[in-house]
Amino acid sequence: MHLAEMAVLRSVPAAGVFLALTRRCPLSCAHCSTESAMDGAEHAERPFRRLVASFTRQEHPEFIAMSGGEALLRPRLVRDLADSARLSGTRSYLLSGLYFARDGHAVPAALRAAISAVDHFAVSLDRFHEREVGRRAAFRVLHEIRSWGPQVSVQITGDGGADPYVAELVREVREEFADQVPMLVVPLRPVGRAKALEGPAAGPRVRHAAPAPCEMAAWPLVTYDGTVLTCCNDGLAAAARPPHLVLGHADEDPWPVLRRRHLDRPLARAVRMFGPRYAEARFGSGAGASGYCDVCVTLHRDRGLGERVAGYLDSPAGPAMESAVRALVERHGPYGFARRHGIARYSELVTLGWEGRER
């Protein structure tokens, strides 16, 4: 499974679901968006297992995307979820920080079984990860994993299009793997531990006054404790847990139920269609918070906003506008999401090694 196949559907509501399997991680990366550490929270496996087991051939997401913390601290769970998902036709993606590559030893058997079970294995590699796991060690393990079967990719976080570190790393990855390993290059954002970083690395907060559809609300997120959110910004949404973003719990609600809630809830649909600031300004009082995500987690406090949004969505204009926005968001194929949410000059790297087939 190529990275481009996920990028094509990344903006399609409920085409995938994120599984945050743990908040534990052996690394201490300064930019960690989830502020994970070895003393981080880790809950029971059952909610994740029950949710994936509820997928059917008739109703299932195209992808599960497993991460953490470090998901490979639970290798048996990763392997079992990938195997279970495959029974319904769902493919699996795993993101790792490669903590096990630091000592130069062979990949442990349990980790090899987990990695071999997934359809795509992605590695985080950037100036922060490289302080924890060396570049050559990461390359060595990626070469080994490619021989086991899963397709691989590299996720790079940088300071922007002019960042010389990113340019040099991209060049070296392309040379090392002969342009056969795709990359997603994203800007550093002030979330999690990255909020403490000073200077341009943290990046400015973006304010949206015009319609700005939120693609972060396209795929639901199952948090480390099993709560299911319509937003994958777990650093904010999971902490605030506003009712319009909480879809249910993976230990109680099967995928068909969660999917229907995700697709049908008026406020979630409005956020995907207009973005939270424009939705609040158009249908609410306009007196909410100023930040893009900050507005979103407070939408439920605006009395009557949900009813007014629902009325618009039930009118003839609502579905037509929704379809038009979807068409605009999805029109650039695999490059669109990478251009909008990554560093645009590197967007075409998501298709390196891709033959253009979705299966």
Side-chain angles (χ1 to χ4, degrees):
M1 180 183 87
H2 196 281
L3 178 65
E5 298 177 51
M6 291 186 67
V8 167
L9 298 179
R10 181 59 186 83
S11 303
V12 177
V17 58
F18 293 102
L19 306 179
L21 302 185
T22 181
R23 276 283 171 85
R24 297 174 63 232
C25 183
L27 307 182
S28 302
C29 300
H31 69 325
C32 181
S33 63
T34 59
E35 302 184 75
S36 296
M38 281 306 292
D39 61 354
E42 184 171 278
H43 290 250
E45 297 180 354
R46 193 174 78 166
F48 302 103
R49 293 181 180 275
R50 286 174 65 95
L51 176 65
V52 175
S54 73
F55 298 169
T56 67
R57 280 283 177 182
Q58 293 72 37
E59 196 159 1
H60 61 269
E62 288 293 319
F63 310 103
I64 56 170
M66 294 177 280
S67 64
E70 174 54 71
L72 280 176
L73 291 176
R74 310 184 90 171
R76 184 174 177 179
L77 178 59
V78 168
R79 184 197 67 194
D80 291 350
L81 292 177
D83 289 343
S84 178
R86 190 170 291 112
L87 295 176
S88 66
T90 297
R91 291 174 289 171
S92 55
Y93 165 101
L94 172 65
L95 177 64
S96 172
L98 287 186
Y99 73 94
F100 52 89
R102 291 184 293 185
D103 57 15
H105 296 158
V107 179
L111 300 189
R112 176 169 179 161
I115 295 168
S116 299
V118 303
D119 296 295
H120 189 96
F121 182 76
V123 173
S124 292
L125 186 60
D126 45 57
R127 70 173 74 253
F128 305 100
H129 279 97
E130 200 164 351
R131 295 168 190 164
E132 307 275 336
V133 181
R135 185 180 308 186
R136 301 315 304 179
F139 287 175
R140 174 184 60 82
V141 172
L142 274 180
H143 278 297
E144 187 175 357
I145 291 171
R146 292 183 73 204
S147 72
W148 301 345
Q151 294 197 40
V152 302
S153 65
V154 176
Q155 181 166 309
I156 300 170
T157 301
D159 292 348
D163 185 344
Y165 172 90
V166 171
E168 190 271 336
L169 177 58
V170 165
R171 179 191 59 77
E172 191 163 339
V173 172
R174 297 187 72 164
E175 291 179 355
E176 180 74 21
F177 298 98
D179 272 354
Q180 292 302 299
V181 169
M183 288 170 270
L184 177 63
V185 186
V186 298
L188 184 63
R189 303 187 189 282
V191 295
R193 284 201 284 265
K195 288 185 292 187
L197 298 174
E198 297 181 357
R205 290 186 178 272
V206 179
R207 295 168 64 96
H208 300 273
C214 181
E215 294 168 272
M216 297 298 102
W219 291 9
L221 165 72
V222 183
T223 65
Y224 63 96
D225 67 356
T227 303
V228 186
L229 305 171
T230 195
C231 170
C232 68
N233 182 354
D234 62 341
L236 184 62
R241 303 201 178 193
H244 66 288
L245 296 183
V246 177
L247 298 175
H249 197 280
D251 202 25
E252 303 167 359
D253 303 303
W255 173 249
V257 171
L258 294 167
R259 178 180 179 275
R260 183 48 49 200
R261 291 173 183 167
H262 182 68
L263 296 178
D264 287 353
R265 287 190 173 174
L267 285 182
R269 290 171 65 188
V271 167
R272 288 194 291 267
M273 190 189 318
F274 298 121
R277 291 195 71 221
Y278 187 82
E280 203 274 344
R282 175 168 178 172
F283 300 104
S285 65
S290 60
Y292 188 83
C293 295
D294 296 324
V295 169
C296 191
V297 298
T298 61
L299 287 177
H300 65 289
R301 300 177 188 170
D302 196 326
R303 184 172 299 176
L305 186 150
E307 289 77 8
R308 289 188 289 275
V309 167
Y312 173 80
L313 293 173
D314 289 338
S315 73
M321 178 64 75
E322 207 163 10
S323 296
V325 171
R326 281 276 304 275
L328 286 172
V329 169
E330 297 168 20
R331 64 179 174 172
H332 294 299
Y335 305 119
F337 184 84
R339 288 173 182 165
R340 291 186 297 273
H341 295 276
I343 297 176
R345 67 176 292 185
Y346 296 115
S347 62
E348 294 189 359
L349 297 178
V350 297
T351 59
L352 289 180
W354 189 39
E355 297 179 359
R357 297 190 300 268
E358 293 196 11
R359 284 191 185 275

